[in-house]
Amino acid sequence: MDGMLYSVDAPEIDRDPSAPARSGRTVLAVGAHPDDIELGCAATLRAHVLAGDRVVMLVLTDGCNGPGAGAALRRAEQQLAARSIGAELRWGGFRDGELGDGLETIRTIEGVLKETGATTVYTHGHDDTHQDHRAASRAVASAARHAERLLFFESPSSVNFQPQLYIDVSGCAETKLQSLRAHASQVSGSRKVDLRAVDALLRVRGFQSGVEEAEGFRVRRFVYDPRADARLPLAAEAEASVLA
């Protein structure tokens, strides 16, 4: 299936994650473990930051079962990764390998959605070989059922992932790789995170969508208002020109 290409308008400026979003928009990315969000959509999140959006990352478990690291180290690495993207960080407080998709997880996600006012949400896809990823996907689908946009990202454990939508992240690849390098315990001496494969996939998805680099997503919901696109005239200006 051919996918749709979507570009997050991204001027070349940086933003302090503690500062108010210039755009007034908030984006939430939910991952089961430390480094899941970075693998799935770090370049897209960086594009959002550069566009002036507030970006919040919710990591549901402590990652204590990752190779060569305990929960404390995984937490420290995740903080560095979020900082490299320019995102805020929240923790779900669940234990790695034991994440459920029931009311407790749903309410945790709903709480962050209510706190942040996020209208765009990224998370794992349903079809995945890891039980925590599947649980996170189902819980987010329930918690974010009223979100304007709900997109499922691709991960190394995704099964038969066929993008329906591509986001142009040209120029943001290095931030994605930098955020993954922050997870040194998972990158050094481990094939859990292969930076060469990550970089290659960005270029493959870019080739498929006709841009330099892209990230692919499955779409649960995508409400699009062309009047809110920064590359188009403001609706009020357009209406004024018609009435003139």
Side-chain angles (χ1 to χ4, degrees), residues 40-164:
C41 63
T44 294
L45 297 184
R46 182 58 181 171
H48 277 292
V49 170
L50 293 174
D53 297 343
R54 179 189 181 195
V55 173
V56 180
M57 300 168 66
L58 170 60
V59 180
L60 291 171
T61 77
D62 56 12
C64 66
N65 291 330
L73 179 56
R74 298 300 305 276
R75 179 179 287 268
E77 290 175 340
Q78 183 61 69
Q79 290 170 341
L80 288 174
R83 191 175 305 136
S84 72
I85 295 170
E88 301 172 30
L89 180 60
R90 304 287 189 276
W91 292 93
F94 298 96
R95 183 173 173 80
D96 189 356
E98 301 176 7
L99 185 65
D101 61 359
L103 193 56
E104 185 179 7
T105 307
I106 293 169
R107 283 180 172 170
T108 296
I109 299 164
E110 286 178 335
V112 177
L113 282 166
K114 183 177 180 180
E115 173 218 335
T116 62
T119 54
T120 298
V121 181
Y122 299 96
T123 195
H124 299 275
H126 290 348
D127 202 356
D128 194 289
T129 60
H130 198 298
Q131 72 276 10
D132 284 351
H133 295 180
R134 296 193 301 270
S137 182
R138 291 191 294 266
V140 172
S142 295
R145 59 193 177 276
H146 301 305
E148 293 178 5
R149 299 173 184 175
L150 175 55
L151 302 175
F152 299 135
F153 54 64
E154 185 173 15
S155 74
S157 54
S158 296
V159 179
N160 298 323
F161 191 92
Q162 297 293 327
Q164 296 170 313

Side-chain angles (χ1 to χ4, degrees), residues 227 230 232-244:
R227 296 167 299 179
L232 297 177
L234 293 175
E237 294 178 0
E239 184 176 4
S241 66
V242 170
L243 296 175

Side-chain angles (χ1 to χ4, degrees), residues 116-224:
T116 62
T119 54
T120 298
V121 181
Y122 299 96
T123 195
H124 299 275
H126 290 348
D127 202 356
D128 194 289
T129 60
H130 198 298
Q131 72 276 10
D132 284 351
H133 295 180
R134 296 193 301 270
S137 182
R138 291 191 294 266
V140 172
S142 295
R145 59 193 177 276
H146 301 305
E148 293 178 5
R149 299 173 184 175
L150 175 55
L151 302 175
F152 299 135
F153 54 64
E154 185 173 15
S155 74
S157 54
S158 296
V159 179
N160 298 323
F161 191 92
Q162 297 293 327
Q164 296 170 313
L165 180 140
Y166 298 87
I167 294 186
D168 183 355
V169 297
S170 301
C172 296
E174 182 53 39
T175 296
K176 182 181 179 86
L177 297 176
Q178 180 184 352
S179 71
L180 286 167
R181 291 187 193 103
H183 296 278
S185 67
Q186 308 306 294
V187 174
S188 301
S190 170
R191 287 193 56 81
K192 292 287 186 179
V193 180
D194 187 330
L195 297 184
R196 293 173 301 175
V198 170
D199 187 47
L201 184 59
L202 286 168
R203 288 184 278 113
V204 168
R205 296 306 185 207
F207 176 78
Q208 292 173 335
S209 55
V211 297
E212 184 178 351
E213 294 156 336
E215 288 179 324
F217 299 88
R218 300 287 296 176
V219 179
R220 182 61 173 263
R221 185 181 303 104
F222 193 92
V223 178
Y224 176 63

